[in-house]
Structure formats: structure tokens, C-alpha cells
Amino acid sequence: MRIRILVTGGTFDKEYDELSGRLFFKDTKVGDVLQRGRCRLDVVSETVMMVDSLELDDAGRARIVARARECEEQAVVITHGTDTMVQTARALAEATLRGKTIVLTGAMVPYAFGSSDGLFNLGSALSFVQVLPPGVYVAMNGQHFAWDCVRKNSATGCFEAV
Amino acid sequence: MRIRILVTGGTFDKEYDELSGRLFFKDTKVGDVLQRGRCRLDVVSETVMMVDSLELDDAGRARIVARARECEEQAVVITHGTDTMVQTARALAEATLRGKTIVLTGAMVPYAFGSSDGLFNLGSALSFVQVLPPGVYVAMNGQHFAWDCVRKNSATGCFEAV
Amino acid sequence: MRIRILVTGGTFDKEYDELSGRLFFKDTKVGDVLQRGRCRLDVVSETVMMVDSLELDDAGRARIVARARECEEQAVVITHGTDTMVQTARALAEATLRGKTIVLTGAMVPYAFGSSDGLFNLGSALSFVQVLPPGVYVAMNGQHFAWDCVRKNSATGCFEAV
Amino acid sequence: MRIRILVTGGTFDKEYDELSGRLFFKDTKVGDVLQRGRCRLDVVSETVMMVDSLELDDAGRARIVARARECEEQAVVITHGTDTMVQTARALAEATLRGKTIVLTGAMVPYAFGSSDGLFNLGSALSFVQVLPPGVYVAMNGQHFAWDCVRKNSATGCFEAV
């Protein structure tokens, strides 16, 4: 089973720009994460975009959905900002990508920052995608939710079942 | 679903002793790992022992099997040294712990060392244990294997399907 | 020789706020830095303020100068944002704190972010302050400059002799 | 002022070998350390050897002394194991390398292990070497000692003035 990782950015991939003192996107860290995890899965990683998910609009979501549909793989992990992860999950579910297991994940702290949950979440998502039945899921903090049973609690920053 | 983590040591939990220059065990790092991963699962962690798995004998394995049997939880993750992880998996399978899903995992580099795969592997194991059917499994490097379909390749340090 | 560290904030002490995605100040990391460096100097650390140095005004500078003057110690290290470090150095020099060796330092990347230069710069500043003759200095990137011979190159982010 | 770093190994440069579970030497980390510290000094680094200092004998010490003598630079930092750092310092002092300031430093925890004091100590040593008068010194934990006024306390692992 080959797994495709679609990279869309989010906090997971943010970096600190020394000159401006701001957070920004450079190259995705997913390769580094797979290396640190010594991941032996057959994985291909593709950067669709590198954006804060608050900046995702319908056109951006449509591109993500298109790539999820067109790629050969039946198992797809999508790294994504947490703020609108559930919206993108809905767009994917509505596209009815028959037979595909799609798991969205992200991080609360950029991988570049050392104390990140990114490595844990990616290990989690890559595991869920291998064993969950076809459908669209959100995997964060070790938990997994069907796309229509989850929301992000913006006060706590956590994902909860609804 | 509550998950029980049985800690048995292994490279995962080794630390560097500054005075002697050797690696040794102090307290398990599993709590730190769950904290870094911001794990929101209902997890209880129990230290059964802290040993290098090369030092595990039948009596030690029997204690691990006993705790896996006696604990209330149906979902059990066991952190373990990689050298004899498969042997312990076999002992657990032979104990026929009906209805329980047991996933063994570990790390190639101590969690204390920064560049560890421990966070990735624990995220992976905690995910597999929620979804895999009852049985005994080894989860390393993102992969998962039924207990009787895996061996550790000592030349490469990796786990492979057999 | 006791060394006083006056903490004023700057990038050195910034942290990432998971909920807002912004950088902010909580508690100073100087204690953690001294612990990681296993610093055996007689050091007392005092938080004067926690600000981005772009927000320092004359009143803020006056408070830093006052603490540098009033403290018992003859050796003073000041952690400070890099943007206006030279201005604060000038204010200290103009205050003619006779007999005191004062070394300002900071970081280009927050200590909290793992790949920080903070540990290197603090080790450097704590060393310079023990040996340099009385006066006011800036110590960054291993270099040291008398207060009136340095400027920050905002294009490169580096300090240069003038 | 150009500074020469002579690398001799020690705990500073030890790494963890995943396959054997042992500590060993590969390539020096000094370049990584200088990069992380964003060191802007004019530094040239040379690996003389990569050994645990308990394995240093007179012949090995003689090679270190020879390189310290022959190199063009007047400012020399030597990374070294802490166990016999003082012995090497004595050998250098007895060689009477006129006009040279030589500072030995090391680490209690390998730089590769994340929680290392290596970055702090190297920042410290590179600073001392710029301002101390010619002579041989040991710089550890923020402190500095003339070569004949220091010993390593093997019970605590710390360097103390004698």
C-alpha cells in the first residue's frame, strides 16, 4: 500500500523568520518528520500549497480535493492548518472519493520549534490511514474522528467529537 | 476506550549518565511524550520494569504478560526494547488474552536524545491500538505487523515482514 | 564575582502561543538556559521587563539603566531585543556607571524554538563580562563590540563594527 | 583575529549508534554548533583526532601540542574530553607556546543529544580566547581557570579551582 501525503501548510510547516520576527512558510518539513520517525512506509509526498488554513478559500479547497481525487493512491494523508481542517474534510467527503481513506492532520506547534506535536500526529495519521475503512477523517492528538463528527474548539484549540 | 500503556524500558527510555558516560534508566519518558504529542486519549501508564530487552528472561516476560492479562483495558500499548520485542509478542499471543488488542512499540534512539523516533512510534502505536482487531502486533517505523509475521533484522535494525 | 543578569525580553524570550499562532512573552527562559549550560557561575537573574525592544521607549530604557546602576554587582549581563540593543547600550554608557562591566546580548531565534543561538550568546556574554574592563559592550554571534563601535545591520540581522 | 579550533573528540562529539546501542564518534559537530550559534568570528576548525580523553596517551597529547604550536593562529580553542582535559592543558603549558591564548573546553552531554551544554561552553570558550592574555586555560560551565589552578572533581563531574 502506497500512501500519498498532500502537504497544504498550516502551523505544522511554519517557520520563524529571524529578520522580520514573523512566522512564514519555506519548504515543507514532512520529509524531515518522516526521516526522524525512520518511517519505512511506502510514502510519496506532494506539496499542493503552503498556506495558513485561515487563508484557504473554495478555490484552494477545490485544488486539494482535485489532487486527492486524481492521485493513484487509495490512502491519503493531508497535512493542514487546524483552523479550517474540518471544512476541508467536508469538501473532501462531499466529493465522494470512493474507496479512498483520507486522514487530515496538523500540529498545534510548528515542527521547526522543537516542542512540536507534529511528529506524534503524523505517526498517528499514517497509522490510521492504513487501517480505517474508506472515508474522510480528522486525526489530532492521538484521536480520530469521522469528518462529520468533529469540530475544533477555538477556546481550547482542541478537536472534539460532536 | 481507555488505553493502558505498559512501560518495560528499552532504548525508548534510556538516558545518558553524565558522570559515567553510560546509558541507563531513570524514570520513564512516556508522560513527556504524551504531553509533547498533546495526546487527548484516555490513557493510563504503568511502569512494569525498566530494562534493556536483551536482559529480559522468561520470568520478566511472564510479568509483562500477567499485567497485560490483569489490567482492565482491552487496548494495551507496550513500550519495549526492540531486540526481543518479537519474543515478548509471542509470549503475549500464546497467553491468548481474548478480546485484547496489544501493540508493542519502541524506539531506535532514546527519547531523551532529541532526534528520537519515539514520539512518532508512540503516536503510531496509540492509533493502531484503537482500530486493529484483537490480537498482538508490533508497530515500528509507521508499519504494523501481526506478532507471527515479523522479525527484527539485526543488520539493519529494522523490522520486516516474514 | 557575582554576575547579575537583567532580563528585558527580546526575541530571546519569545514563545509561541498555540491558540493565537502569535509570539508572546510568558516567563523568562534564562533559568533554563543556565541550567542547560550547567552554569557554575555565581549568577542572580532579575526580570526588569519582557518586551520586544522595538517597544522600548526612554522611560523603559531609564528603568534598565536604573537597575544596572542600583544593583550591587559590578558585572552585569543584559538580555535584550536586538533591534534597539545599541540604543540601550548608549543609554547605559551615558549614565557613566563607573566600575561596572555591562554586556548586552540577545538571540536571533527564541530559545523556546530549539534551533536558537540563545545558549551560545549567553555563554559568550557571561564569559566576556568576567574579563572585559569596565564599560558597556554588545556581545552577539561570538563577537563583542564597545557600545559606540557597533550597529545592527537590519538587512542581514547581524551586528557589525563601525 | 582568526581563531583555530582543534577538535579532539570527547563527550562533546559522541553520537548514539542505533544498531549497537553504544556511543561512538563519527564527524565532529563543531560546524553545526558554530552554525546554530550563528558565530560570526573568523574561525577555522581542524579535527586532530576523535577520542574519549581517557584513551589519550602521551603520543596523542604530543600531537595536540604540535598542532597548537604549528598553527598560525594566536588564539586556539581545543574541544576535548573532560576526563583528562587538565592533563592536556598541562602538556600545552609545558610546551611554552609563547604568545598564544589557548582555551580548552568540552561538554558533559554530547551535542547530538539535544540537552547538551556544548553550545554554551563553545560560546564561552570562543569569547574567553579573544580576551584572556596568552596562556593556557580551561573553560567549562561558564567558568575559566588557568591550567594550573583547576581539577576535575570526578564525583560531581565539575571543574573546581585549586
Side-chain angles (χ1 to χ4, degrees):
Chain A
M1 173 202 281
R2 169 178 267 198
I3 300 169
R4 178 159 299 243
I5 299 178
L6 297 178
V7 172
T8 72
T11 296
F12 191 101
D13 263 329
K14 283 184 180 167
E15 296 191 51
Y16 179 75
D17 175 24
E18 296 177 30
L19 289 185
S20 68
R22 292 213 185 81
L23 302 180
F24 77 127
F25 293 104
K26 227 160 62 176
D27 306 311
T28 181
K29 303 281 165 248
V30 161
D32 295 346
V33 181
L34 294 174
Q35 199 166 346
R36 178 156 293 186
R38 291 153 179 72
C39 184
R40 283 177 48 82
L41 298 168
D42 182 8
V43 172
V44 57
S45 177
E46 168 192 336
T47 301
V48 182
M49 62 188 62
M50 290 279 268
V51 301
D52 183 312
S53 70
L54 287 171
E55 291 166 35
L56 262 179
D57 55 10
D58 290 344
R61 281 204 174 81
R63 279 169 51 205
I64 298 171
V65 171
R67 287 310 301 140
R69 171 187 296 113
E70 293 158 5
C71 71
E72 293 180 355
E73 294 75 15
Q74 299 293 92
V76 182
V77 165
I78 303 178
T79 61
H80 194 288
T82 57
D83 286 313
T84 66
M85 190 180 289
V86 175
Q87 284 90 303
T88 300
R90 178 180 308 120
L92 288 156
E94 287 171 354
T96 325
L97 305 171
R98 216 171 287 280
K100 296 210 176 193
T101 301
I102 302 177
V103 179
L104 290 87
T105 194
M108 293 306 293
V109 176
Y111 181 71
F113 289 4
S115 63
S116 174
D117 49 336
L119 187 59
F120 182 87
N121 288 337
L122 194 62
S124 170
L126 285 168
S127 303
F128 281 131
V129 82
Q130 296 174 59
V131 290
L132 286 171
V136 182
Y137 306 87
V138 163
M140 284 290 294
N141 315 115
Q143 298 178 302
H144 67 290
F145 310 89
W147 70 273
D148 55 348
C149 303
V150 62
R151 67 170 197 138
K152 180 182 178 182
N153 180 323
S154 26
T156 65
C158 296
F159 285 80
E160 311 173 330
V162 291
Chain B
M1 173 204 278
R2 168 178 267 196
I3 299 168
R4 178 157 300 241
I5 299 178
L6 297 178
V7 172
T8 72
T11 296
F12 190 101
D13 263 329
K14 283 185 182 168
E15 295 191 52
Y16 179 75
D17 176 25
E18 295 178 31
L19 290 185
S20 69
R22 293 210 185 82
L23 301 182
F24 77 126
F25 292 105
K26 225 161 58 176
D27 306 311
T28 181
K29 303 279 165 251
V30 161
D32 294 346
V33 182
L34 295 174
Q35 200 167 343
R36 178 155 293 185
R38 289 152 181 73
C39 183
R40 283 177 48 82
L41 297 169
D42 182 7
V43 171
V44 57
S45 176
E46 167 192 338
T47 301
V48 182
M49 62 188 63
M50 289 278 268
V51 302
D52 183 311
S53 71
L54 286 172
E55 292 166 33
L56 261 179
D57 55 10
D58 290 344
R61 280 202 175 84
R63 278 170 52 206
I64 297 171
V65 171
R67 286 311 301 140
R69 171 187 296 111
E70 293 157 5
C71 72
E72 294 180 355
E73 294 77 13
Q74 300 293 91
V76 182
V77 165
I78 303 177
T79 62
H80 195 287
T82 57
D83 288 314
T84 66
M85 190 181 289
V86 175
Q87 284 90 302
T88 300
R90 177 179 309 119
L92 287 157
E94 288 170 352
T96 324
L97 305 171
R98 216 171 288 278
K100 297 211 175 191
T101 301
I102 302 177
V103 180
L104 290 88
T105 195
M108 294 305 294
V109 176
Y111 180 70
F113 289 4
S115 62
S116 173
D117 50 336
L119 187 59
F120 183 87
N121 288 336
L122 194 63
S124 171
L126 285 168
S127 303
F128 282 129
V129 82
Q130 295 175 59
V131 186
L132 287 170
V136 181
Y137 305 88
V138 163
M140 283 291 294
N141 315 115
Q143 297 178 303
H144 67 290
F145 309 89
W147 71 273
D148 56 347
C149 302
V150 62
R151 66 169 199 140
K152 180 182 177 182
N153 179 323
S154 26
T156 65
C158 296
F159 285 79
E160 313 172 328
V162 292
Chain C
M1 176 202 279
R2 169 179 267 196
I3 299 169
R4 179 159 298 244
I5 299 178
L6 297 178
V7 171
T8 73
T11 296
F12 191 101
D13 264 330
K14 282 185 181 167
E15 296 191 50
Y16 179 75
D17 175 23
E18 296 177 30
L19 289 185
S20 68
R22 292 209 187 83
L23 302 181
F24 77 126
F25 293 106
K26 226 161 62 176
D27 306 312
T28 181
K29 303 280 164 249
V30 161
D32 294 346
V33 181
L34 295 173
Q35 200 167 345
R36 178 155 293 185
R38 291 153 181 72
C39 183
R40 284 176 48 82
L41 298 169
D42 182 7
V43 172
V44 56
S45 177
E46 168 192 337
T47 301
V48 182
M49 62 188 62
M50 291 279 268
V51 301
D52 183 311
S53 71
L54 287 171
E55 292 165 33
L56 263 179
D57 56 9
D58 290 345
R61 282 203 173 83
R63 279 170 50 206
I64 297 172
V65 171
R67 289 310 300 142
R69 172 187 296 113
E70 293 158 4
C71 71
E72 294 180 354
E73 295 75 14
Q74 298 292 91
V76 182
V77 165
I78 304 177
T79 60
H80 194 286
T82 57
D83 288 313
T84 67
M85 190 180 289
V86 176
Q87 283 90 303
T88 300
R90 177 179 310 119
L92 288 156
E94 287 171 354
T96 326
L97 304 171
R98 216 170 287 278
K100 297 211 176 193
T101 301
I102 302 177
V103 179
L104 290 86
T105 195
M108 294 304 296
V109 176
Y111 181 70
F113 290 4
S115 64
S116 174
D117 50 336
L119 188 58
F120 183 87
N121 288 337
L122 194 63
S124 171
L126 285 167
S127 303
F128 281 130
V129 82
Q130 295 174 60
V131 188
L132 288 170
V136 182
Y137 306 87
V138 164
M140 283 292 294
N141 315 114
Q143 299 179 302
H144 67 291
F145 310 88
W147 71 274
D148 56 347
C149 302
V150 62
R151 66 169 197 137
K152 180 182 177 182
N153 180 324
S154 25
T156 65
C158 297
F159 285 79
E160 311 172 329
V162 291
Chain D
M1 175 201 281
R2 170 179 267 198
I3 299 168
R4 179 160 298 245
I5 298 178
L6 297 179
V7 172
T8 72
T11 296
F12 191 101
D13 264 328
K14 283 184 180 168
E15 296 190 51
Y16 179 74
D17 175 26
E18 294 177 30
L19 289 185
S20 68
R22 293 212 185 82
L23 302 181
F24 77 125
F25 293 104
K26 225 159 64 176
D27 306 312
T28 181
K29 303 280 163 250
V30 162
D32 294 346
V33 182
L34 294 173
Q35 200 167 344
R36 177 155 294 185
R38 290 152 181 71
C39 183
R40 284 178 47 83
L41 297 169
D42 182 9
V43 171
V44 56
S45 177
E46 167 192 337
T47 301
V48 182
M49 61 189 62
M50 289 281 267
V51 301
D52 182 311
S53 71
L54 286 171
E55 292 166 35
L56 262 180
D57 56 10
D58 290 344
R61 282 204 172 81
R63 278 170 52 206
I64 297 170
V65 171
R67 287 312 300 140
R69 172 188 295 114
E70 293 157 5
C71 71
E72 293 181 352
E73 294 75 16
Q74 299 292 90
V76 182
V77 165
I78 304 178
T79 61
H80 195 286
T82 57
D83 287 312
T84 66
M85 190 180 288
V86 176
Q87 284 90 302
T88 300
R90 178 179 310 120
L92 287 156
E94 287 170 355
T96 325
L97 305 171
R98 217 171 287 280
K100 296 211 176 191
T101 301
I102 302 177
V103 180
L104 290 87
T105 194
M108 293 305 294
V109 176
Y111 181 70
F113 289 4
S115 63
S116 173
D117 51 335
L119 187 59
F120 182 87
N121 288 337
L122 194 63
S124 171
L126 285 168
S127 302
F128 282 129
V129 83
Q130 295 174 60
V131 289
L132 287 171
V136 182
Y137 305 88
V138 163
M140 283 292 292
N141 314 116
Q143 298 178 302
H144 67 291
F145 310 89
W147 70 274
D148 55 348
C149 303
V150 62
R151 67 169 199 139
K152 180 182 177 183
N153 180 323
S154 24
T156 64
C158 297
F159 285 80
E160 311 172 329
V162 292

